[in-house]
Amino acid sequence: RDPTTHGPIMDSLARSANVDWEDSDSDDDSKDGPVVQRDDSIPSLLEGYLTKKGGRLFYVNWKKRWFILQGSKLYYYRDEDHTDRALGVIDLANASVDESTSGKAHAFGIHHIR
């Protein structure tokens, strides 16, 4: 099944958008961290696939992830069929969004405001 044509797509983003957000989303999806749960009583504003920058230290990778925007939080999952446990959450309340310097098409960066 083609993830760019299946299910709702984030209308405000290009289908092949890339999120320049570095964290510990490595090749191992079996994180030992706490389970991140969405509040199902809050409606999702947008959802769809994005490609997220991950890796550790000197190793950088780009992985396709299923994202759900709920309020000011952007949750991401391995794919749309595994939304019971988020791999992570990005709090957009204290963040800025701008063009990415990654060189990837349709890319944007999310940065915490300190």
Side-chain angles (χ1 to χ4, degrees), residues 55-108:
R56 297 188 181 173
L57 295 175
F58 301 107
Y59 176 75
V60 175
N61 60 0
W62 290 86
K63 289 195 162 194
K64 186 188 312 185
R65 297 289 183 222
W66 182 256
F67 281 80
I68 297 177
L69 177 62
Q70 189 177 57
S72 65
K73 298 191 186 299
L74 188 59
Y75 297 87
Y76 58 94
Y77 304 85
R78 186 173 63 183
D79 57 43
E80 65 187 295
D81 297 325
H82 293 88
T83 57
D84 54 331
R85 178 183 172 161
L87 295 176
V89 62
I90 302 167
D91 188 356
L92 300 174
N94 293 312
S96 66
V97 178
D98 57 20
E99 289 186 46
S100 173
T101 58
S102 69
K104 294 212 174 244
H106 312 293
F108 60 92

